[in-house]
Amino acid sequence: MYKVMIVEDEMLVRIGLKNSVEWSKFGLEVTADFPDGLAAWDYYEREKPDVVITDISMPRMDGMELISNIRKQDKQTRVVVLSCLEEFELARKALALDVSSYILKLTMTEEEIEQVLTGVREELDQQQSQVNVQGRTGSATPDMELVKEKMFKDFMFYRIFSTDEFARFVTESGLRLSPVRLVVCVMEVDRYFSLKERFRDEHGHLVKMSLLNILSEIMSGYKRGEAVQINDRHYALVLHFADMLSEQAIVQEIRQLLDHIQNTIRHYFNSTVSFGVSSVNGGYDSLPRQYAEAQRALQRKFITGPGQQHQGSDCADRSGVLARVEQIRQHTDIRELLPPLKQKEYDAFLDEIEGGMCEDRKTLEITIYQFVQWINTHVYDHNNEKTLLLSMTEKLETCDTMPDMLDQIVIYMDSLVELIRKRLQMSDEITRAIEYIKRHYTENISLQMVADYIGLSQGYLSNLFRKELQITYIDYVNRYRIERAKELLAQSQMRSSDVPALVGFSPEYTYFSKVFKKITGLNPNEYRRQTTLRDKRVQEQ
């Protein structure tokens, strides 16, 4: 584990950051935190932590002085700056002291923190590999790829550097760029989580380095641009066409380059990538706008599916989605399990999905999650516990397009039908355990209590749950309680915050909401709101 020191005079920020991040996920461990720079400097001299996350404005010794003191002794320690918007100029100066990144305290999100910590971990790993080769000489040169990536992000997203400063960096670094006729392409790795699993690459380092090597080699052959990673799934290709006057010729060249990249990744990775492409503009100051334009174009991938190139603002091709919705609509086996009134609701759901394709992605995803939960609730067979356990939430979360999500729903419905037909055979012990849980789910029932009731050891009963239901005891209880909570949310007017205690959870709403969203894909209020709106629409028909 790499050691982390947090320095922040605002106690809530310091403690919140320390306790809200799963540090071990990044190979990091918080070993100390301090409210001022002087105490932090004293600790640093004794312990030499690998990472320092520090505020700028602090009593006794501010962050700038702390960073400066560290750099006088050590070039290897990674530093992340915590700053406010009004401290942006100071944060910019801190970058000259080889700061890895910065976090805006008032607007930081979990995703942004994860991106920063992932980058820090990569820098530390890179340093370690250089040390292994060269010994601890302190003479290792910074990784140019990381420097380039940081400069592009700082310029395009945060405008920390002026256009002149960015242009000077491009020239001094010998990058293949010119401010004449620029185009930005945003590349998204399709089905990224599946790709990581195939590579057995938990943190995505191997995938990143492989993709950057492919992009660098192909783009060097075309001699017209640079590629940088934006986050795990996204890469930016900044291209220039100073030698071309015809826009048609530029479009053809872009198509040829992107086809080359897609074919290479398909060949070596057995995977696909999608692109959003901006219009042609001149001047480095246009890059932020072009990046946003390319991102907007790429959003059409959610409707069209993976492996395509998107440009402009034309409507996405909906034919693939419509064909899948019709396949679900005509799923005879599922419809036969529903009474006539519920079949009407089933069709209303699919009408909403079809009609919602002009809505934003989040709205569509919520509707799809709601549809899956509706199926699970209304096809739920109380004599067949396995249908309760067949949760689709985790699988849907790995889908990055609507066609993929709809394909998963078809697989889900086929599995439901098959399980209901086969009728899961459970041992007498598990059957009695489930009956006990159903009678006492509103109480604080432990595995030991259920085991005592049946007359088994706690360990033996735990193994039976895993063997027969392929799930842990606590996961089964949570899923059963959530089913009952869904009924209360849909059929009563009680406050959402009152529901947890009524179905056996602790009164703490935050934990209940977290479990609810993990299982259903929606938080309780979203579930209730969507259910209420849908019931009204069905009644009006």
Side-chain angles (χ1 to χ4, degrees):
M1 289 282 186
Y2 293 110
K3 296 184 294 183
V4 178
M5 174 176 68
I6 299 175
V7 195
E8 165 63 61
D9 62 328
E10 296 182 48
M11 183 180 68
L12 291 179
V13 175
R14 186 173 75 252
I15 301 303
L17 181 61
K18 179 180 178 180
N19 294 327
S20 65
V21 174
E22 187 180 349
W23 297 94
S24 59
K25 174 181 175 182
F26 308 95
L28 304 173
E29 176 187 12
V30 177
T31 56
D33 61 275
F34 298 99
D36 66 82
L38 191 60
W41 173 242
D42 181 60
Y43 176 84
Y44 177 85
E45 287 194 297
R46 296 194 317 271
E47 301 296 334
K48 295 292 188 296
D50 303 292
V51 182
V52 175
I53 301 178
T54 180
D55 189 14
I56 292 180
S57 299
M58 295 182 295
R60 301 216 294 168
M61 179 189 291
D62 64 27
M64 293 298 292
E65 186 178 353
L66 174 63
I67 298 169
S68 180
N69 288 344
I70 291 173
R71 284 292 172 252
K72 289 175 184 177
Q73 287 198 13
D74 180 10
K75 303 296 184 186
Q76 304 302 310
T77 299
R78 297 296 84 203
V79 178
V80 175
V81 170
L82 293 169
S83 68
C84 301
L85 285 172
E86 59 267 22
E87 298 172 341
F88 233 46
E89 186 59 32
L90 285 174
R92 178 176 169 177
K93 291 179 180 178
L95 292 174
L97 297 172
D98 190 22
V99 167
S100 295
S101 191
Y102 50 86
I103 299 172
L104 293 177
K105 288 189 284 188
L106 297 181
T107 61
M108 60 183 179
T109 65
E110 183 177 335
E111 183 181 19
E112 289 168 343
I113 293 172
E114 288 198 357
Q115 288 178 13
V116 168
L117 296 180
T118 297
V120 168
R121 171 60 190 265
E122 289 174 356
E123 291 181 25
L124 290 167
D125 288 345
Q126 178 71 24
Q127 288 178 357
Q128 190 62 45
S129 65
Q130 290 172 341
V131 166
N132 291 339
V133 173
Q134 300 175 6
R136 289 192 173 273
T137 62
S139 61
T141 59
D143 185 347
M144 184 56 197
E145 280 298 325
L146 291 174
V147 173
K148 181 176 72 172
E149 176 184 318
K150 182 166 178 55
M151 173 58 78
F152 271 79
K153 289 180 180 178
D154 288 344
F155 177 69
M156 290 197 300
F157 304 152
Y158 309 113
R159 301 312 299 262
I160 287 181
F161 297 102
S162 68
T163 303
D164 289 342
E165 288 172 322
F166 181 77
R168 186 162 57 251
F169 171 79
V170 168
T171 302
E172 292 175 353
S173 303
L175 301 185
R176 297 182 298 265
L177 270 186
S178 159
V180 181
R181 286 182 285 282
L182 290 162
V183 172
V184 174
C185 305
V186 178
M187 182 181 88
E188 180 170 307
V189 182
D190 301 327
R191 303 182 179 102
Y192 174 71
F193 295 104
S194 298
L195 184 63
K196 280 205 309 179
E197 286 180 5
R198 289 211 316 270
F199 272 69
R200 297 181 181 178
D201 185 16
E202 181 181 357
H203 299 292
H205 297 156
L206 179 58
V207 172
K208 173 185 177 180
M209 296 312 299
S210 300
L211 287 174
L212 284 175
N213 286 336
I214 287 174
L215 293 174
S216 178
E217 183 171 335
I218 292 176
M219 293 177 68
S220 65
Y222 286 78
K223 297 183 173 64
R224 59 173 72 262
E226 297 289 340
V228 295
Q229 186 191 45
I230 303 302
N231 54 42
D232 285 347
R233 295 171 55 196
H234 295 94
Y235 296 75
L237 283 62
V238 181
L239 312 173
H240 76 93
F241 298 89
D243 57 331
M244 289 187 177
L245 298 176
S246 166
E247 188 157 332
Q248 183 178 359
I250 292 174
V251 170
Q252 291 176 347
E253 180 82 353
I254 293 171
R255 169 70 68 176
Q256 182 180 347
L257 170 62
L258 301 189
D259 284 346
H260 190 172
I261 292 171
Q262 287 178 318
N263 291 334
T264 303
I265 291 173
R266 187 177 295 111
H267 177 74
Y268 288 104
F269 283 71
N270 190 26
S271 185
T272 60
V273 292
S274 302
F275 285 98
V277 184
S278 78
S279 57
V280 181
N281 279 283
Y284 291 132
D285 59 334
S286 69
L287 290 180
R289 296 191 303 274
Q290 288 177 287
Y291 180 86
E293 181 186 346
Q295 276 279 56
R296 286 194 298 273
L298 182 59
Q299 288 174 3
R300 296 205 295 275
K301 166 194 166 177
F302 182 66
I303 299 295
T304 62
Q308 299 184 40
Q309 299 170 22
H310 305 277
Q311 187 169 12
S313 56
D314 295 338
C315 290
D317 180 5
R318 305 177 183 180
S319 58
V321 166
L322 293 175
R324 288 168 170 85
V325 170
E326 187 61 24
Q327 181 184 4
I328 295 171
R329 193 184 296 275
Q330 300 301 325
H331 200 292
T332 307
D333 292 332
I334 283 289
R335 298 185 75 93
E336 288 177 351
L337 295 169
L338 297 169
L341 183 59
K342 294 304 178 184
Q343 289 189 31
K344 188 177 180 181
E345 290 183 35
Y346 182 84
D347 287 328
F349 251 117
L350 296 174
D351 290 341
E352 183 174 350
I353 291 173
E354 280 188 355
M357 281 189 282
C358 293
E359 302 289 339
D360 63 279
R361 174 172 177 169
K362 179 63 176 176
T363 301
L364 264 174
E365 286 181 328
I366 287 175
T367 304
I368 291 171
Y369 279 115
Q370 185 76 14
F371 179 53
V372 170
Q373 291 304 317
W374 184 90
I375 292 173
N376 186 69
T377 298
H378 291 91
V379 183
Y380 174 57
D381 180 358
H382 289 271
N383 295 315
N384 186 355
E385 300 304 326
K386 194 69 173 275
T387 58
L388 170 67
L389 310 179
L390 196 63
S391 172
M392 273 290 295
T393 304
E394 292 181 0
K395 289 183 179 179
L396 288 177
E397 285 177 347
T398 66
C399 296
D400 48 16
T401 69
M402 193 170 176
D404 281 352
M405 296 180 83
L406 296 176
D407 286 341
Q408 287 294 333
I409 289 176
V410 172
I411 294 171
Y412 173 68
M413 294 194 303
D414 290 342
S415 300
L416 272 178
V417 170
E418 182 180 356
L419 286 168
I420 290 172
R421 285 175 175 169
K422 286 184 176 180
R423 299 289 178 178
L424 179 67
Q425 296 298 313
M426 294 182 294
S427 66
D428 179 62
E429 291 85 357
I430 284 293
T431 301
R432 292 173 60 205
I434 287 173
E435 290 173 352
Y436 184 88
I437 291 169
K438 288 180 178 180
R439 290 197 303 270
H440 300 278
Y441 72 92
T442 60
E443 305 167 19
N444 184 20
I445 48 174
S446 66
L447 177 61
Q448 185 64 61
M449 291 169 62
V450 180
D452 290 342
Y453 168 77
I454 298 171
L456 298 175
S457 71
Q458 178 176 324
Y460 187 78
L461 181 59
S462 176
N463 288 334
L464 275 183
F465 266 91
R466 291 180 180 276
K467 180 180 178 181
E468 297 191 23
L469 300 180
Q470 291 81 53
I471 197 170
T472 65
Y473 165 80
I474 190 61
D475 280 345
Y476 178 86
V477 173
N478 279 345
R479 288 175 187 273
Y480 188 82
R481 285 169 169 167
I482 292 300
E483 286 298 317
R484 305 289 73 78
K486 285 160 59 178
E487 293 173 356
L488 291 175
L489 289 168
Q491 300 169 12
S492 74
Q493 299 299 315
M494 69 177 60
R495 295 182 304 175
S496 299
S497 58
D498 292 335
V499 170
L502 295 176
V503 295
F505 284 97
S506 69
E508 184 190 0
Y509 181 76
T510 303
Y511 176 71
F512 167 73
S513 180
K514 184 177 180 180
V515 174
F516 194 99
K517 183 162 188 176
K518 179 181 178 182
I519 291 174
T520 69
L522 304 166
N523 66 45
N525 288 329
E526 286 175 336
Y527 179 84
R528 166 173 271 172
R529 185 165 54 250
Q530 292 292 322
T531 302
T532 303
L533 290 173
R534 189 162 293 101
D535 288 345
K536 286 182 179 178
R537 282 194 288 268
V538 171
Q539 291 169 6
E540 292 169 357
Q541 292 179 353

